[in-house]
Amino acid sequence: MSKLYVIGIGPGGREHMTLKAIETIKKCDIIIGYTPYIGYLGDLIEGKQIYSTGMKGEIDRCKLAIRKAKEGHNTAIISTGDAGLYGMAGPILELKEEIEVEIVPGVTAAFSAASELGSPIMHDFASISLSDLLTPWEAIEKRIEKASEGDFVITIYNPRSNSRRNHLEKAVRIMLKYKEKDTPVGIVRNSGRANTEIILTTLQSIPYEKVDMLSILIIGNSNTYVKGNKMITPRGYHIG
Amino acid sequence: MSKLYVIGIGPGGREHMTLKAIETIKKCDIIIGYTPYIGYLGDLIEGKQIYSTGMKGEIDRCKLAIRKAKEGHNTAIISTGDAGLYGMAGPILELKEEIEVEIVPGVTAAFSAASELGSPIMHDFASISLSDLLTPWEAIEKRIEKASEGDFVITIYNPRSNSRRNHLEKAVRIMLKYKEKDTPVGIVRNSGRANTEIILTTLQSIPYEKVDMLSILIIGNSNTYVKGNKMITPRGYHIG
């Protein structure tokens, strides 16, 4: 029986794909995804039918994937990072009928960015997307507030686009009510891909104009510090 | 020059390792890790020097890894899941001097468990460890409280051990102040390994005696629901 696979391909670089993601793509006839993400698959797509569409085409891609699997093709729909965090696993399972679906997890951008910054996550953390396309801004603000009150490390996805230029500034203003001004902040653009750019700064000094939709932010907790050029959140081991 | 690699090997099954984790282990002479985790590497360790020690030996393992790298060996220290979330990247960077360190990210257990449960994460989430070996219990309680108030999906690591049998019950009591009694909860034991066990239940009906240190819990947000045998957190797409 044909099957629909929802695959997290990791941040982009081939080396961060799991064996299972690679093997699953190899056995599918049809690959569906957002156009720039298909590009990360390189020669893995040779000889396959590719359906790629632009931003905001998520639900159309999901419906196409379900139709192709129903028609008897082993079909892959890909997300960058993990398949289930801000990915395609949710809408596929919401829409699916009759067909068999398997989710293949992947390395999310926050962990890739963390590995490039040092060890800024290490401990309890909260992941928040600043995109209000699908979530009311008030709910996002409340989460930023509660995560800051709880002294979580905070990872920020979708920090800033042309249509929401000041969301990140608003979010930082809320975080500054609870977090110190000099809390370390790591910004990674194109994490886990070619041309990775890293900025290590503090909560009061974020260079907003350098942040875009290809950037991930990691904001420290009250114990996070910088040693050399590495951002470190200690977990509390007695280091002797 | 020799290098120290901190490698996240994923949840355990070889198929969830990244290409980079596999290639990096292959080029190291020395592999260091918690004894059960070394077992997940299978034939990757053939011909290599292995140093494995028991629980709570983390800092000794880190010091050994740093010494071996200083002595000129390409050395790998492994964590399950990601290298930087509750892993070894932090203590290595805190302790390191002179040597070069590279962190290799991996698939964390929560994403593996999510892929087995359906798509329970999908949206903003908070990751909390219930282990108070290194963190005061009061700080953990506060984070549970704030994550619940913020309506985050919550992933729970280290939910229950012999020495802290009632931490999970205490945590659930706090969550029930903010989350509905019938909030879906997924429990996965041995996620991403052989003998995976899955329980789908609700916040008021958790079978505590079946939860141990090999289990991960995912607690839904206010929109999470169960369809068939899959736990789904919608992100808010207009599914038509």
Side-chain angles (χ1 to χ4, degrees):
Chain A
M1 204 189 122
S2 66
K3 211 163 160 182
L4 173 54
Y5 298 91
V6 188
I7 304 177
I9 64 165
R14 172 80 66 94
E15 71 271 24
H16 296 301
M17 285 181 76
T18 66
L19 283 185
K20 186 163 190 180
I22 292 169
E23 292 309 317
T24 308
I25 287 170
K26 282 183 182 166
K27 74 180 174 199
C28 286
D29 316 318
I30 295 179
I31 316 287
I32 298 172
Y34 176 45
T35 310
Y37 300 170
I38 294 284
Y40 296 133
L41 300 179
D43 58 10
L44 282 175
I45 65 171
E46 276 172 21
K48 298 182 187 301
Q49 264 182 272
I50 305 298
Y51 296 89
S52 64
T53 53
M55 260 181 68
K56 301 187 190 174
E58 291 90 350
I59 297 308
D60 289 341
R61 285 196 292 275
C62 288
K63 287 178 179 171
L64 177 66
I66 288 168
R67 198 170 74 235
K68 291 294 177 186
K70 264 188 180 168
E71 287 171 9
H73 301 280
N74 281 323
T75 303
I77 183 166
I78 61 164
S79 300
T80 49
D82 180 55
L85 176 63
Y86 313 124
M88 290 295 102
I92 287 288
L93 291 178
E94 289 189 82
L95 286 163
K96 84 150 188 152
E97 283 164 54
E98 298 163 40
I99 56 162
E100 211 186 326
V101 172
E102 183 174 345
I103 318 287
V104 179
V107 174
T108 192
F111 292 157
S112 165
S115 75
E116 292 157 341
L117 288 163
S119 60
I121 298 185
M122 261 314 280
H123 208 311
D124 302 336
F125 78 103
S127 172
I128 301 174
S129 166
L130 297 193
S131 170
D132 63 351
L133 289 177
L134 302 170
T135 306
W137 177 250
E138 298 65 38
I140 298 169
E141 280 198 334
K142 184 171 180 187
R143 286 188 180 145
I144 294 162
E145 181 115 23
K146 296 304 168 188
S148 303
E149 277 191 77
D151 195 24
F152 283 93
V153 173
I154 301 177
T155 58
I156 301 277
Y157 285 71
N158 307 314
R160 192 161 179 270
S161 74
N162 286 335
S163 58
R164 44 178 191 283
R165 301 189 75 82
N166 61 355
H167 279 195
L168 182 59
E169 276 136 297
K170 283 190 199 168
V172 167
R173 220 171 295 143
I174 295 167
M175 290 191 263
L176 280 169
K177 287 164 59 184
Y178 306 96
K179 290 180 180 283
E180 297 291 337
K181 289 188 298 228
D182 58 355
T183 301
V185 173
I187 306 170
V188 185
R189 191 163 181 276
N190 281 320
S191 174
R193 302 174 185 167
N195 308 316
T196 306
E197 295 168 56
I198 294 176
I199 296 172
L200 210 51
T201 183
T202 64
L203 197 49
Q204 67 175 342
S205 305
I206 292 172
Y208 292 101
E209 74 290 347
K210 292 192 175 156
V211 177
D212 65 10
M213 289 302 278
L214 301 175
S215 311
I216 285 278
L217 276 81
I218 303 181
I219 292 102
N221 70 17
S222 58
N223 296 314
T224 304
Y225 66 96
V226 173
K227 174 186 163 188
N229 59 351
K230 293 297 173 191
M231 180 172 169
I232 299 175
T233 299
R235 193 166 168 206
Y237 289 109
H238 294 283
I239 306 280
Chain B
M1 205 188 121
S2 66
K3 210 162 160 182
L4 174 52
Y5 298 91
V6 188
I7 304 177
I9 65 166
R14 172 79 67 92
E15 72 272 24
H16 295 300
M17 286 180 75
T18 66
L19 283 186
K20 186 163 189 180
I22 292 169
E23 293 308 316
T24 308
I25 286 170
K26 282 184 180 165
K27 73 180 172 196
C28 287
D29 315 319
I30 295 178
I31 316 286
I32 298 172
Y34 175 45
T35 310
Y37 299 170
I38 294 286
Y40 295 133
L41 299 180
D43 59 10
L44 282 176
I45 65 171
E46 276 172 22
K48 300 183 186 298
Q49 264 181 271
I50 304 298
Y51 296 89
S52 64
T53 54
M55 258 182 70
K56 301 188 191 174
E58 291 92 350
I59 297 308
D60 289 340
R61 285 197 291 275
C62 288
K63 288 178 177 170
L64 177 66
I66 289 169
R67 199 169 73 235
K68 291 295 179 187
K70 263 189 181 167
E71 286 170 11
H73 302 279
N74 280 322
T75 302
I77 183 165
I78 61 163
S79 301
T80 49
D82 179 55
L85 177 63
Y86 313 124
M88 290 295 103
I92 288 288
L93 291 178
E94 289 190 81
L95 286 162
K96 85 149 186 155
E97 286 163 52
E98 297 160 41
I99 56 163
E100 212 187 326
V101 172
E102 184 172 344
I103 319 288
V104 179
V107 174
T108 193
F111 292 157
S112 164
S115 74
E116 292 156 342
L117 287 163
S119 60
I121 297 185
M122 259 317 279
H123 208 310
D124 301 334
F125 79 103
S127 172
I128 301 175
S129 165
L130 297 192
S131 169
D132 63 351
L133 290 176
L134 302 169
T135 306
W137 178 249
E138 297 68 36
I140 297 169
E141 281 198 332
K142 184 171 180 186
R143 285 186 180 146
I144 294 162
E145 181 115 25
K146 296 304 167 187
S148 303
E149 276 190 79
D151 195 26
F152 284 93
V153 173
I154 300 178
T155 59
I156 301 277
Y157 285 71
N158 307 312
R160 194 161 175 270
S161 74
N162 286 334
S163 58
R164 45 177 191 283
R165 300 188 76 81
N166 62 355
H167 279 196
L168 182 58
E169 277 137 297
K170 284 190 198 170
V172 168
R173 222 170 296 142
I174 296 167
M175 289 190 267
L176 280 170
K177 288 163 58 184
Y178 307 97
K179 289 180 180 281
E180 297 293 335
K181 290 188 298 233
D182 58 355
T183 301
V185 172
I187 306 171
V188 185
R189 190 164 181 276
N190 281 319
S191 174
R193 302 173 185 165
N195 307 315
T196 306
E197 296 169 55
I198 295 176
I199 297 172
L200 210 49
T201 182
T202 63
L203 197 50
Q204 68 176 343
S205 306
I206 292 172
Y208 292 102
E209 73 291 347
K210 292 192 174 155
V211 177
D212 65 10
M213 289 302 277
L214 300 176
S215 311
I216 286 277
L217 276 81
I218 302 180
I219 292 102
N221 69 18
S222 58
N223 296 314
T224 304
Y225 66 97
V226 173
K227 174 184 163 188
N229 59 352
K230 295 295 174 190
M231 180 172 169
I232 298 175
T233 299
R235 193 167 170 207
Y237 290 108
H238 293 284
I239 307 280

